């Protein structure tokens, strides 16, 4: 069941994504940079009555000011999330974003990609200088059944300085699924190579299975009960670890790939 109890106001979902993408959360007032008037209008229309957009003279930046005396609800929310006075390379997604119902997670991703995302006919990419931000974006995409990985690049800016860059790139069937999310006013239809991926519903269709003959297969095993780190996740390998292994842990998913004892099954349901 969707966690409707964790639903937030739509304007806060949109503005948090905007500030993480094109915003600056330092100084006295939140502001964002945008060279598309349509998006600026969309920001103005979604804000509550106490917040409004103010253009900064001779720039493509805009303040989000407040009519409340010495209060700005957007700034207060960013500060509560630990995102105020945080530089780009240290940004992250607030924990409450992962607890939103699916429609608002889609809404958040829609606005986030509208900032630093790139949507092309064959692929969709989101780029950031923060590794934590990219790991969080990947997990949020996973929660929407869109698989991706984080790639690292060392790039040079216009002044010639090298800096770290991370991105998630969606191609093939994952790009097809992302089409439903899009990015604000810049949706782009997929134009995939049918010789590589033939769309069938939301997933690709297998075009051919070839027999490669008989070959030796090897399995590398690790003795005794242990845990593995798989793509950033701690994975236990045995029910012999017991139900206490679940307790006090931050668990994302539990996969019951074998018949387990009743007490372990009960603990899984609780978690």
């Amino acid at each position: 069941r969707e966690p409707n109890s964790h639903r937030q106001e739509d304007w806060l979902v949109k503005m948090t994504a905007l500030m993480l993408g094109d915003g600056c959360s330092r100084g006295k007032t939140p502001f964002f940079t945008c060279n598309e008037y349509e998006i600026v209008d969309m920001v103005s229309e979604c804000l509550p009555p106490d917040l409004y957009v103010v253009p900064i003279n001779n720039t493509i930046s805009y303040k989000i000011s407040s009519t409340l005396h010495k209060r700005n609800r957007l700034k207060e929310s960013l500060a509560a999330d630990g995102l105020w006075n945080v530089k780009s390379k240290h940004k992250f997604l607030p924990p409450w974003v992962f607890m939103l119902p699916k429609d608002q997670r889609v809404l958040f991703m829609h606005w986030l990609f509208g900032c630093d995302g790139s949507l092309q006919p064959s692929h969709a990419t989101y780029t950031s200088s923060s590794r934590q931000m990219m790991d969080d974006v990947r997990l949020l995409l996973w929660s929407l059944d869109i698989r991706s990985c984080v790639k690292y690049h060392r790039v040079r800016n216009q002044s010639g300085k090298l800096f770290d860059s991370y991105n998630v790139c969606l191609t093939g069937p994952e790009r097809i699924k992302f089409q439903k999310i899009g990015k604000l006013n810049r949706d782009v239809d997929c134009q995939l190579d049918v010789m590589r991926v033939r769309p069938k519903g939301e997933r690709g269709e297998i075009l051919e299975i070839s027999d490669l003959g008989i070959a030796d297969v090897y399995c590398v095993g690790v003795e005794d009960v242990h845990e593995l780190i798989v793509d950033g996740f701690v994975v236990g390998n045995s029910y012999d670890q017991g139900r206490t292994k679940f307790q006090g842990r931050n668990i994302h998913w539990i996969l019951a790939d074998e018949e387990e004892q009743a007490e372990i099954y009960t603990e899984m349901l609780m978690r």
Side-chain angles (χ1 to χ4, degrees):
R1 203 170 81 174
E2 291 294 346
N4 291 321
S5 58
H6 298 295
R7 178 174 288 275
Q8 300 283 348
E9 294 180 86
D10 282 349
W11 76 265
L12 182 59
V13 174
K14 296 175 181 178
M15 288 303 98
T16 302
L18 176 75
M19 294 302 297
L20 284 170
D22 283 339
C24 179
S25 55
R26 298 193 299 273
K28 294 183 179 180
T29 306
F31 71 88
F32 67 98
T33 302
C34 183
N35 60 1
E36 297 184 57
Y37 295 118
E38 292 181 16
I39 295 180
V40 176
D41 290 340
M42 293 170 69
V43 173
S44 298
E45 292 171 1
C46 79
L47 290 174
D50 57 295
L51 296 175
Y52 59 99
V53 173
V54 179
I56 300 177
N57 292 336
N58 301 319
T59 70
I60 56 172
S61 295
Y62 302 82
K63 292 181 181 179
I64 300 180
S65 299
S66 173
T67 60
L68 302 177
H69 180 62
K70 294 184 178 181
R71 284 196 60 192
N72 186 308
R73 285 201 289 159
L74 178 57
K75 180 179 179 179
E76 290 174 356
S77 176
L78 293 170
D81 291 333
L83 291 171
W84 193 254
N85 287 326
V86 172
K87 294 183 178 179
S88 296
K89 65 180 180 179
H90 299 305
K91 287 183 177 180
F92 57 91
L93 300 192
W96 58 264
V97 172
F98 298 93
M99 302 169 67
L100 294 170
K102 183 177 180 179
D103 66 302
Q104 287 197 318
R105 277 179 277 138
V106 169
L107 181 65
F108 181 91
M109 194 63 68
H110 181 69
W111 277 72
L112 189 69
F113 262 77
C115 301
D116 286 341
S118 173
L119 197 60
Q120 304 297 328
S122 61
H123 65 276
T125 308
Y126 188 86
T127 303
S128 173
S129 60
S130 169
R131 175 57 195 257
Q132 182 62 57
M133 177 82 165
M134 285 297 90
D135 286 339
D136 291 345
V137 170
R138 180 190 61 169
L139 289 178
L140 195 62
L141 285 168
W142 281 11
S143 77
L144 300 173
D145 192 32
I146 300 175
R147 302 292 182 262
S148 65
C149 61
V150 177
K151 296 182 179 180
Y152 167 75
H153 302 277
R154 188 78 168 160
V155 299
R156 196 180 300 275
N157 60 17
Q158 294 179 347
S159 62
K161 184 179 179 180
L162 289 170
F163 66 96
D164 296 331
S165 176
Y166 305 91
N167 68 63
V168 295
C169 186
L170 309 174
T171 59
E174 308 310 313
R175 171 64 180 84
I176 296 173
K177 289 185 282 186
F178 188 81
Q179 180 72 22
K180 294 183 179 180
I181 296 178
K183 47 176 290 187
L184 297 181
N185 65 330
R186 290 167 283 178
D187 293 348
V188 179
D189 290 333
C190 293
Q191 296 177 6
L192 301 180
D193 185 351
V194 295
M195 296 303 296
R196 298 178 59 190
V197 179
R198 182 182 301 163
K200 183 178 181 180
E202 292 186 353
R203 299 186 180 275
E205 177 185 357
I206 297 175
L207 301 180
E208 182 182 2
I209 298 177
S210 302
D211 185 359
L212 298 181
I214 299 175
D216 294 332
V217 178
Y218 301 91
C219 178
V220 178
V222 181
E223 295 182 356
D224 301 323
V225 175
H226 58 274
E227 289 184 338
L228 307 172
I229 305 297
V230 180
D231 204 10
F233 295 99
V234 178
V235 180
N237 76 317
S238 174
Y239 293 131
D240 293 339
Q241 294 168 291
R243 68 180 300 172
T244 57
K245 198 66 177 179
F246 292 96
Q247 298 170 358
R249 304 295 295 273
N250 184 13
I251 299 174
H252 294 87
W253 298 286
I254 299 175
L255 173 63
D257 62 341
E258 298 175 357
E259 186 177 356
E260 66 283 338
Q261 298 93 338
E263 63 174 14
I264 292 181
Y265 178 71
T266 301
E267 192 73 32
M268 286 181 177
L269 294 180
M270 290 176 60
R271 296 298 159 185

